[in-house]
Structure formats: structure tokens, C-alpha cells
Amino acid sequence: ATAEAQERTATALLRQFLFPPSRWAQPLAQLSGGERRRLQLLAILATKPNFLLLDEPTNDLDIDTMQVVEEFSASFGGVLVVVSHDRWFLDRTCDRLFLLPGDGSGDVRVWEGRFTDYLAWQDAEAAAAEEEEARVKVQQRVRSEAEVTAVEQVDGDGMPIETSSALRQKAQQLRPLSNFEVKEIARLETEIAKIEERRRTLQKQIDQYNPKKNDYSELTAWMTELEELADTLDTKEERWLALSERADL
């Protein structure tokens, strides 16, 4: 019964990989390049693996072989890891992507979903960044024009007269720290130290991540928290620096 089952499996694979019965006795030397590629993959699949690693599986394939590989990969019941630049193949076979940005940073972006969806998100992010850059430029230009207006007035000798708003701004910058602000500096220093310690702990956990011991959701949560802490740290350090510049007044 086992031999019969194995024969049925082999027969099914041969048919699935486009080998009709008339070709089963064909010498290997007479097979085409595409047929040999299909036969190599078939021989591996006949061992019933539960894990496959495919490196650029659609490169240099004829259309028939490519379709067979795509159909089988899409229906494969085990774990399938694919290294590929083929957008359509990735869309059909993969539901989790590990993307290398190509900027030499070594960072890996994890994306849940299709490659096409990732490209659409990437385009939207780029458009948002361009819009934000344009907005910042407009704000800087408006601020620059306001600063020029603040010193446009001149006295009888042609010397500029600062407006009340400019004087108020300068007075604010020269104002000594209040008791509350002194305490705020101390509090910020404590908070910054705690954030830096937490970032070191998270980075260590990420570096030591082991998929056999940790769930993937834990890695995602660590990475998200690390990014959020970086933003929080920047905000607190900017505030600390602004207060520290006035601490010696």
C-alpha cells in the first residue's frame, strides 16, 4: 500500500509539473532546460519537505515552468522563504516580507501583506514627506520675513528699532530660570536616563531575538517601542537643552 501511495504521489507530481505519461521514459539528456528545472524541483518536493528556501525561483524560466512554480508555491502547505525581485511572484506566494532598503544601513523592514501594498505605502510616505518638507520651507520663509519686519523700523540716525515683539522674544531668551524650570531640568535628566536605559534593554532584546523562544509579535512590539522612545527622547533633549542654555544666566 505504501509503494502504491508513493507511486500515486509521483504520478500526480509528474502531471502537475507538466510531464505527460509519454515523457516519463524520456532520457534526461533529451529534456529541455525548463523541463530539467521542473524535474529538479519535483525531485525535491517528492521528499515532502515542510520548509522550502527559493532563491530567485523565476529567473531564467520559460513561461510554462514559471506558472508551475507559482501555482505550486501558492499552494505549498509548509513554510516558504523566497528571495526574489519578482513583484508578481511575491504577491501571489508571500504574505510576510522582509525588505532590505538598499541604502547600506543594514536595516530590515518587516511588512505584513503583499509587495504591491508595500510599494503603494512607500509612495504615500514619500508624498507625505515631500508635503511636509514644503510646509516647513513655507514656515521658515514666513518666519524669516517676520524677523526682517521686526527690525525694519529705523530711528533718526538710520539705526534699526526693534519692535515690541522682537524685544519680548529677546527678553524671554535672557530670562533666568524659575524654580519650576530648575526642577524641570532635574526631572528631564532623570527621565532621559530612564529612556536611554530602556532603549539599551530593548536593543539587546532585539539583537538576541530567537524565533524558537520568542513570538514574532514580541519582536514587532520591541521595534515599535524603540522607535517611539527615540521620538520621546528627542523632544525631552531639546527641552533640556533650551533650559540648560539659560541655567547660567
Side-chain angles (χ1 to χ4, degrees):
T2 302
E4 292 178 1
Q6 291 177 344
E7 183 177 351
R8 286 196 299 269
T9 300
T11 299
L13 284 173
L14 284 167
R15 293 182 184 279
Q16 183 179 2
F17 279 76
L18 306 181
F19 289 103
S22 61
R23 302 282 286 170
W24 292 356
Q26 193 80 21
L28 292 179
Q30 296 181 12
L31 296 180
S32 67
E35 288 175 328
R36 292 182 184 181
R37 294 288 295 275
R38 293 203 300 272
L39 187 60
Q40 289 173 346
L41 182 57
L42 187 155
I44 295 173
L45 299 177
T47 64
K48 299 182 179 180
N50 57 12
F51 179 90
L52 280 179
L53 176 59
L54 303 180
D55 184 7
E56 298 290 358
T58 59
N59 275 11
D60 303 320
L61 296 183
D62 57 54
I63 295 177
D64 290 338
T65 303
M66 188 180 301
Q67 290 177 342
V68 169
V69 172
E70 287 183 358
E71 290 173 0
F72 178 83
S73 299
S75 61
F76 181 63
V79 176
L80 181 66
V81 178
V82 180
V83 180
S84 179
H85 293 82
D86 189 329
R87 167 178 171 180
W88 307 111
F89 183 80
L90 291 174
D91 276 353
R92 188 170 181 186
T93 60
C94 300
D95 55 12
R96 176 180 295 172
L97 305 177
F98 296 85
L99 301 122
L100 304 177
D103 57 4
S105 64
D107 295 334
V108 178
R109 179 182 295 277
V110 181
W111 179 265
E112 301 289 344
R114 302 186 310 154
F115 187 49
T116 295
D117 297 331
Y118 170 76
L119 293 177
W121 173 84
Q122 193 176 49
D123 291 341
E125 286 287 293
E130 291 179 0
E131 183 177 338
E132 176 64 15
E133 182 180 359
R135 185 186 66 80
V136 170
K137 287 182 178 179
V138 169
Q139 288 183 337
Q140 291 175 340
R141 185 172 66 250
V142 171
R143 188 180 300 111
S144 177
E145 291 174 353
E147 291 173 354
V148 171
T149 302
V151 295
E152 276 183 346
Q153 301 179 34
V154 296
D155 60 16
D157 297 325
M159 299 298 292
I161 302 175
E162 293 181 312
T163 62
S164 59
S165 61
L167 290 173
R168 282 197 303 270
Q169 183 178 5
K170 180 176 291 186
Q172 177 70 18
Q173 294 172 344
L174 297 176
R175 181 173 58 84
L177 294 178
S178 66
N179 290 334
F180 175 83
E181 289 171 329
V182 171
K183 293 179 181 178
E184 185 179 3
I185 285 183
R187 177 173 55 81
L188 285 170
E189 291 174 346
T190 301
E191 292 174 350
I192 288 172
K194 289 182 179 179
I195 292 174
E196 290 176 337
E197 177 62 26
R198 178 56 180 165
R199 290 183 68 196
R200 286 192 292 269
T201 300
L202 285 171
Q203 189 61 60
K204 184 177 180 180
Q205 290 175 325
I206 292 171
D207 293 341
Q208 297 178 349
Y209 171 73
N210 186 339
K212 294 181 179 180
K213 297 181 180 179
N214 304 104
D215 188 82
Y216 174 75
S217 61
E218 291 182 288
L219 177 61
T220 303
W222 295 338
M223 296 175 67
T224 299
E225 183 180 355
L226 191 62
E227 293 177 355
E228 292 173 350
L229 286 176
D231 294 337
T232 302
L233 184 62
D234 287 343
T235 301
K236 291 185 179 296
E237 286 181 337
E238 288 177 3
R239 175 59 178 167
W240 179 88
L241 183 60
L243 293 174
S244 297
E245 290 176 347
R246 294 168 43 212
D248 297 329
L249 294 178

